[in-house]
Amino acid sequence: MDDAELRSTGDQDLLARHVAGDPDAFGELVRRHRDRLWAVALRTLGDREEAADAVQDALVSAFRAAHTFRGQSAVTTWLHRITVNACVDRARKAATRRTSPVEDTERLEQLLEPHESAEAPAERQDLHRELLAALAKLPPDQRAALVLVDMQGYPVAEAAGILDVPTGTVKSRCARGRARLLPMLTHLRGDTGGKGELGGGRNRTPGTSVPPASGARRDAGPNDPAAVKGGGGRA
């Protein structure tokens, strides 16, 4: 199959071709979806190396478990579900190793988009760092829900499909997460006047949610393919 045909083939057909033995089909799926998987992993875990490992774990799992896909959801939902599972697993393991997973200022700097680091006012960068640090203190399940809904902009129903839980569970996790964040972020609200970073939006409780990342759902992944590296994972 040539490049033009690969690019015009739908996700489910690509997955079916991969199962049938096409050596290029899964690589095209990775090309299409890796950036968004990377964005979710990076903001859920708060560490580039951990996020790269989680994405690789997820892609290895998806590669191996492709034959189990039954088409009951979109391929992208299936891939995101595997990625979030890998992230939550890593976040839980990290919590047993250290009490504060993201306190390193240098690591928080890396979470800012390159164009935002270069162009955004210093005040916005400081605000973003504080928000990410607060987000990192949430339980992994709440953090994953808020990353999907508030930072990546997924509708609650789509986030529920990714997390493989009812929509009510996503709403509950988001509400509990926002309630935990609020005391940590109250001192920031006076600077925004209830607008901007902490302002309301779709799926959000005004004044209490994590702000959407710059370029939500269009985040650039690691430019170097080597940034996503080894390890097996669960399906």
Side-chain angles (χ1 to χ4, degrees):
M1 186 186 301
D2 59 28
D3 288 346
E5 188 177 356
L6 274 174
R7 291 173 185 269
S8 64
T9 302
D11 285 353
Q12 290 201 22
D13 288 339
L14 283 173
L15 200 61
R17 286 175 179 268
H18 162 64
V19 173
D22 188 319
D24 301 316
F26 194 80
E28 173 63 16
L29 282 174
V30 172
R31 185 196 68 79
R32 288 181 189 180
H33 299 290
R34 187 178 65 178
D35 285 354
R36 278 192 283 177
L37 300 179
W38 165 258
V40 169
L42 183 58
R43 290 185 173 87
T44 301
L45 292 168
D47 180 282
R48 295 183 75 87
E49 185 172 350
E50 286 285 318
D53 284 342
V55 172
Q56 182 63 16
D57 288 351
L59 292 176
V60 169
S61 294
F63 184 94
R64 293 172 175 170
H67 66 283
T68 68
F69 180 76
R70 295 292 179 262
Q72 296 175 336
S73 63
V75 171
T76 185
T77 299
W78 179 72
L79 289 171
H80 274 75
R81 183 182 305 144
I82 295 172
T83 302
V84 169
N85 284 339
C87 290
V88 170
D89 282 349
R90 284 186 169 271
R92 286 172 175 159
K93 290 174 183 176
T96 67
R97 296 194 302 265
R98 55 186 186 239
T99 57
S100 182
V102 181
E103 290 183 352
D104 187 335
T105 301
E106 183 177 352
R107 289 214 306 268
L108 290 174
E109 292 276 6
Q110 293 174 341
L111 293 179
L112 297 172
E113 296 300 319
H115 64 274
E116 185 171 359
S117 287
E119 299 174 8
E123 295 82 0
R124 177 176 173 81
Q125 293 183 39
D126 290 342
L127 176 61
H128 199 171
R129 282 194 292 272
E130 289 196 55
L131 290 164
L132 289 168
L135 182 68
K137 297 175 183 177
L138 299 181
D141 289 346
Q142 293 174 18
R143 192 189 319 169
L146 282 175
V147 165
L148 290 172
V149 175
D150 282 357
M151 297 192 78
Q152 296 302 116
Y154 285 94
V156 168
E158 193 171 347
I162 291 170
L163 296 171
D164 198 22
V165 297
T167 56
T169 300
V170 175
K171 292 178 181 178
S172 176
R173 289 177 182 177
C174 286
R176 291 199 304 270
R178 291 168 188 149
R180 284 172 177 257
L181 285 178
L182 185 57
M184 294 183 271
L185 303 178
T186 299
H187 67 288
L188 303 178
R189 298 179 70 186
D191 297 332
T192 64
K195 299 178 182 179
E197 288 290 349
L198 296 178
R202 186 185 66 184
N203 302 325
R204 303 186 183 106
T205 302
T208 62
S209 65
V210 180
S214 176
R217 299 197 67 178
R218 296 181 293 104
D219 299 73
N223 293 324
D224 184 353
V228 177
K229 56 183 179 35
R234 80 183 192 193

